């Protein structure tokens, strides 16, 4: 399939009305013409934690949200995107639970990376571990097997507990490939059109390397899974948070990538009233990207923008974000902090709040996002110009929940009446329908206090002008009667 160059929605299965049936009703009745690009439903599968990102299986839907039939029905009108945590699966999955019961005699034992698959005698070598990009103190966890004294250590890249809740899959195993193929076939059965490969950068474990985005091995795996997806008419979106050069390598190999740099660059331009860094970036970035301002985590900073930031200026911007109510996710490992100690991983907030709830500034940010080449995604809280949910963050103890408010149907309808939301909906309709967005993109010469972006296609064009001082945003375009129209966003 080919992806639609139109706006997509990102939402949890229970965040717009309470479950998948409510989500379908909201999409059909309120947003039927808005999200022609599709809808990214964050993990609706049975999960043991991390708000869905520790799935037990991809063959079932969590009963609290609904059924696969609900997903299939949404997929009749919208291209549905779901996540596949391709690197690992939950400790609570039937596969690993059977391994805990039977150890090496488990029918599923070959799914997992016991240490003898890496070290000949199964004994870890610290010299090898020292070279690895670690997400926890040790890259493996030790488990008690059955009722006897047997223990097994298996690879666990992620996890805040010891032993970890997330168990890595051995992607070299034929059994793992068969399991992944069964997940993809099930996705196809229920109208899934796009699969985001979460944590794909960690799938290759190879001694003597960082075990992160190991080249060229990573491309062998991606080529295999791409062939599988294409055979089922499913598009892939690899998700890699790392130095931007890795994203560019993926783009060079023809894969869709995420623009994790754009949200910060737009925030920086609007807050500091300077377009220089943003316009420089827009002239050099790959075009085959999914764009975003906000998501279920936060605005990316490190490592995505490593090598691109003046950390003194970044600290000032981060301080402004904190003044406006944001909280921060920090880099934990010392070796990945900046030399000056700058350690901000993500800025957690709603994008509307971080722009000080300024309607014009927020619409300017969305307009720049929509004019940047790529498929724009709008997070559900951003769609409704939601503000920081401090109570939810405090109640859950998770700073990310500041931007994860669950809306009732009544709250959705109230939010839709807000002028800033009505203006955003109009902008989305323009982005979806104007033909020039399939043409040629240009960053126009402008003052440092302006952003000028243009699209041309045959006899049509549209040109965006953002005045960073006044936050006034206008779009000039040619309509169907060949008249020049100026539209104030």
């Amino acid at each position: 399939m080919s992806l639609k160059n139109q706006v997509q929605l990102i939402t949890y299965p229970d965040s717009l009305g309470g479950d998948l049936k409510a989500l379908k009703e909201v999409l059909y009745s309120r947003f039927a013409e808005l999200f022609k690009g599709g809808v990214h439903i964050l993990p609706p599968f049975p999960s043991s934690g991390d708000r869905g990102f520790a799935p037990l299986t991809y063959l079932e839907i969590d009963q609290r949200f609904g059924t696969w039939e609900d997903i299939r029905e949404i997929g009749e009108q919208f291209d549905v995107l779901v996540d596949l945590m391709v690197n690992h699966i939950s400790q609570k999955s039937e596969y690993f639970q059977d391994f805990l019961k039977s150890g090496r005699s488990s029918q599923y034992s070959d799914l997992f990376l016991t240490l003898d698959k890496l070290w000949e005698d199964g004994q870890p070598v610290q010299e090898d571990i020292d070279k690895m990009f670690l997400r926890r103190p040790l890259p493996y966890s030790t488990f008690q097997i059955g009722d006897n004294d047997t223990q097994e250590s298996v690879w666990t890249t992620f996890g805040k507990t010891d032993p970890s809740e997330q168990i890595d899959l051995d992607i070299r195993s034929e059994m793992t490939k068969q399991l992944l193929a069964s997940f993809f076939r099930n996705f196809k059965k229920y109208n899934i059109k796009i699969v985001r490969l979460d944590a794909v950068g960690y799938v290759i474990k190879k001694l003597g390397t960082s075990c992160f985005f190991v080249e060229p091995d990573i491309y062998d795996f991606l080529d295999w899974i791409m062939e599988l997806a294409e055979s089922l008419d499913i598009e892939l979106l690899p998700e890699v948070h790392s130095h931007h050069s890795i994203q560019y390598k993926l783009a060079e190999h023809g894969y869709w990538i995420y623009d994790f740099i754009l949200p910060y660059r737009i925030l920086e331009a609007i807050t500091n009233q300077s377009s220089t860094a943003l316009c420089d970036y827009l002239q050099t970035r790959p075009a085959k990207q999914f764009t975003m301002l906000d998501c279920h985590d936060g605005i990316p900073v490190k490592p995505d923008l490593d090598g691109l930031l003046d950390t003194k200026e970044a600290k000032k911007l981060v301080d402004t974000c904190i003044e406006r109510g944001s909280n921060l996710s920090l880099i934990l490992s010392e070796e990945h902090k900046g030399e000056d100690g700058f350690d901000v991983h993500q800025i957690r907030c709603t994008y509307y709040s971080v722009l000080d709830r300024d309607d014009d500034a927020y619409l300017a940010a969305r307009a720049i996002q929509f004019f940047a080449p790529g498929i724009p995604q709008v997070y559900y809280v951003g769609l409704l110009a939601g503000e920081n949910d401090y109570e939810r963050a405090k109640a859950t103890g998770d700073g990310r929940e500041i931007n994860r408010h669950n809306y009732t149907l009544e709250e959705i309808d109230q939010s839709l009446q807000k002028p800033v939301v009505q203006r955003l909906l109009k902008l989305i309709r323009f982005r979806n329908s104007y033909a020039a967005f399939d043409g040629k993109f240009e960053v126009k010469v402008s003052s440092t206090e302006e952003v000028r972006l243009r699209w041309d296609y045959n006899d049509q064009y549209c040109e965006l002008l953002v005045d960073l001082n006044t936050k006034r945003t206008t779009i000039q375009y040619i309509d169907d009667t060949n008249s020049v129209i100026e539209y104030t966003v």
Side-chain angles (χ1 to χ4, degrees), residues 267-433:
L267 173 63
E268 173 188 53
I270 292 176
T271 304
N272 296 340
Q273 299 174 352
S274 172
S275 64
T276 304
L278 171 64
C279 289
D280 287 348
Y281 171 62
L282 287 171
Q283 291 182 55
T284 59
R285 65 189 280 282
K288 191 176 177 180
Q289 303 204 48
F290 280 60
T291 70
M292 51 172 257
L293 293 183
D294 43 5
C295 67
H296 63 285
D297 282 336
I299 298 170
V301 184
K302 288 181 67 69
D304 303 272
L305 282 94
D306 280 351
L308 301 176
L309 292 181
D310 177 331
T311 54
K312 286 186 180 178
E313 292 301 315
K315 285 177 181 177
K316 290 179 187 175
L317 184 61
V318 167
D319 287 344
T320 299
C321 295
I322 292 172
E323 288 169 12
R324 294 174 178 175
S326 306
N327 67 68
L328 306 176
S329 167
L330 303 178
I331 296 285
L332 298 180
S333 59
E334 291 296 327
E335 65 267 28
H336 293 100
K337 295 179 183 178
E339 290 181 6
D340 57 359
F342 185 67
D343 60 353
V344 179
H345 175 48
Q346 293 177 340
I347 303 165
R348 302 189 294 206
C349 54
T350 78
Y351 216 88
Y352 184 64
S353 289
V354 83
L355 289 174
D356 214 17
R357 297 173 295 175
D358 181 328
D359 291 6
D360 290 340
Y362 184 61
L363 269 298
R366 285 293 176 197
I368 296 168
Q369 179 202 2
F370 291 174
F371 266 71
I375 295 174
Q377 292 186 320
V378 176
Y379 185 58
Y380 75 99
V381 178
L383 172 69
L384 300 174
E387 299 179 24
N388 290 338
D389 191 337
Y390 302 111
E391 290 182 9
R392 186 173 177 87
K394 184 177 180 181
T396 59
D398 187 340
R400 295 173 298 179
E401 294 288 327
I402 195 171
N403 192 26
R404 296 179 177 180
H405 181 75
N406 286 335
Y407 287 81
T408 63
L409 294 176
E410 183 181 16
E411 286 176 318
I412 294 168
D413 290 333
Q414 289 171 350
S415 297
L416 286 172
Q417 301 308 310
K418 295 191 289 190
V420 64
V421 174
Q422 286 297 312
R423 290 167 66 189
L424 176 57
L425 300 187
K426 182 179 178 182
L427 180 62
I428 290 173
R429 291 186 186 101
F430 179 80
R431 175 61 179 80
N432 282 341
S433 61

Side-chain angles (χ1 to χ4, degrees), residues 213-273:
F213 207 82
V214 178
E215 299 177 278
D217 311 56
I218 185 71
Y219 302 117
D220 293 337
F221 174 74
L222 284 169
D223 288 347
W224 171 80
I225 206 164
M226 177 67 83
E227 185 178 349
L228 169 64
E230 286 180 343
S231 73
L232 299 166
D233 203 25
I234 292 173
E235 286 276 2
L236 290 185
L237 173 59
E239 187 257 5
V240 181
H241 274 292
S242 184
H243 191 278
H244 58 279
S245 61
I246 286 183
Q247 296 277 31
Y248 286 17
K249 287 179 180 179
L250 282 169
E252 287 169 8
H253 278 79
Y255 294 103
W256 284 98
I257 59 172
Y258 265 115
D259 193 338
F260 289 134
I261 297 171
L262 190 64
Y264 182 93
R265 283 296 184 222
I266 291 177
L267 173 63
E268 173 188 53
I270 292 176
T271 304
N272 296 340
Q273 299 174 352

